[in-house]
Amino acid sequence: METPAKYLSADERRAVTVEAVVALAASGNPGDITTTAIARHMGVTQGALFKHFPNKEAILEAVMQWVANKLLARIDRAIAVAPTPWAALEAVFMAHVQFAVQHPGVPRMLFGELQRADNSAPKRLAQTLMRQYAQRLHALVAQAQAQGSVAADVDVQATALLFIGSVQGLVMQALLAGDVRQMKQQAPAVYALFARALAAGTAPPQKAAAV
C-alpha cells in the first residue's frame, strides 16, 4: 500500500482493514479469507491487526457495517436527485449495479453472510441492510402508485423482492461469467422488463438508460 500501515491512525487502520477484506473477497471465496491473509494484504502482522479488532468476527462486522453505510448512502443519493419516484426506482437500480461493479467483493460477502446458519453480528447487519433497502423501495413504489405511474394493483412487497432479486441475478450471472462489467451492459434491458411489469396504463415505460 502507498501509505505504510505503521503511520496510520487507529481509525485509518480499521478502515484499511475493511478495504483489505473487500478487496480479497473480490477475487476469492470470502469464507476462505483468514486473518493471516488480511494482515499480509495490509503489510502488517496479525498482532498489529488484533490491536484494532479482537477477532475475525469483529472484522467481518466492521465490513458489513461499511457495506450497509456505503450502499444505503448510494441509494439515498440516487433517490434525492431523481425528479419523480418512478425515475428514482431506475436510478436506485442502476446505482446498486454500479456499486456491485465497483466493489465485486461486496455481493460475495453479502451472499456468504446471509447463508450462515448462525445468528452472527455480521449476518444481522446484512439482514438489517436488506430490510432498510426494501423499506426505501416500498416507499418509492407507494409514491409512484399515488402519482399514477405504477399500477394500483401492484404488490409493493413483491415489487421490492423482484427489484432486489433482479440485481442479485445480474450479480450471480456476472460472477459465473467471471466478468462483473457485464452487469452494466445487461442492467438496462433487465430494468426495462421490470418497469414494464409495474407501469400503469398502456403507455410504455421510459427506456432504462445505460449505466
Side-chain angles (χ1 to χ4, degrees), residues 116-182:
R116 288 178 61 168
D118 60 328
N119 189 28
S120 65
K123 180 178 180 178
R124 291 195 299 273
L125 282 169
Q127 291 171 327
T128 298
L129 166 60
M130 291 296 101
R131 285 197 300 270
Q132 292 175 338
Y133 191 168
Q135 287 167 0
R136 285 161 169 77
L137 294 175
H138 293 165
L140 287 176
V141 174
Q143 292 165 14
Q145 283 178 320
Q147 294 183 359
S149 52
V150 170
D153 61 349
V154 165
D155 185 284
V156 174
Q157 291 188 337
T159 299
L161 287 173
L162 179 60
F163 185 104
I164 297 174
S166 296
V167 178
Q168 291 173 333
L170 284 168
V171 169
M172 290 298 296
Q173 290 299 316
L175 291 177
L176 287 171
D179 183 9
V180 295
R181 295 171 298 177
Q182 77 174 30

Side-chain angles (χ1 to χ4, degrees), residues 41-179:
H41 186 87
M42 295 171 61
V44 300
T45 65
Q46 286 193 71
L49 187 65
F50 288 131
K51 287 182 180 178
H52 303 283
F53 296 95
N55 49 45
K56 181 181 176 181
E57 194 79 353
I59 296 174
L60 295 178
E61 184 176 357
V63 172
M64 282 298 106
Q65 189 62 65
W66 180 92
V67 170
N69 292 342
K70 293 291 185 180
L71 180 55
L72 290 177
R74 185 78 63 95
I75 289 169
D76 288 340
R77 286 197 299 270
I79 294 172
V81 300
T84 64
W86 176 260
L89 285 168
E90 179 181 347
V92 169
F93 191 93
M94 298 305 172
H96 190 171
V97 169
Q98 184 65 23
F99 184 80
V101 171
Q102 292 175 342
H103 305 289
V106 167
R108 293 174 181 268
M109 298 204 68
L110 278 173
F111 289 142
E113 290 302 326
L114 291 172
Q115 291 176 34
R116 288 178 61 168
D118 60 328
N119 189 28
S120 65
K123 180 178 180 178
R124 291 195 299 273
L125 282 169
Q127 291 171 327
T128 298
L129 166 60
M130 291 296 101
R131 285 197 300 270
Q132 292 175 338
Y133 191 168
Q135 287 167 0
R136 285 161 169 77
L137 294 175
H138 293 165
L140 287 176
V141 174
Q143 292 165 14
Q145 283 178 320
Q147 294 183 359
S149 52
V150 170
D153 61 349
V154 165
D155 185 284
V156 174
Q157 291 188 337
T159 299
L161 287 173
L162 179 60
F163 185 104
I164 297 174
S166 296
V167 178
Q168 291 173 333
L170 284 168
V171 169
M172 290 298 296
Q173 290 299 316
L175 291 177
L176 287 171
D179 183 9

Side-chain angles (χ1 to χ4, degrees), residues 22 26 28 47 65 87 122 196 198:
V22 173
Q65 189 62 65
R196 187 173 295 278
L198 297 187

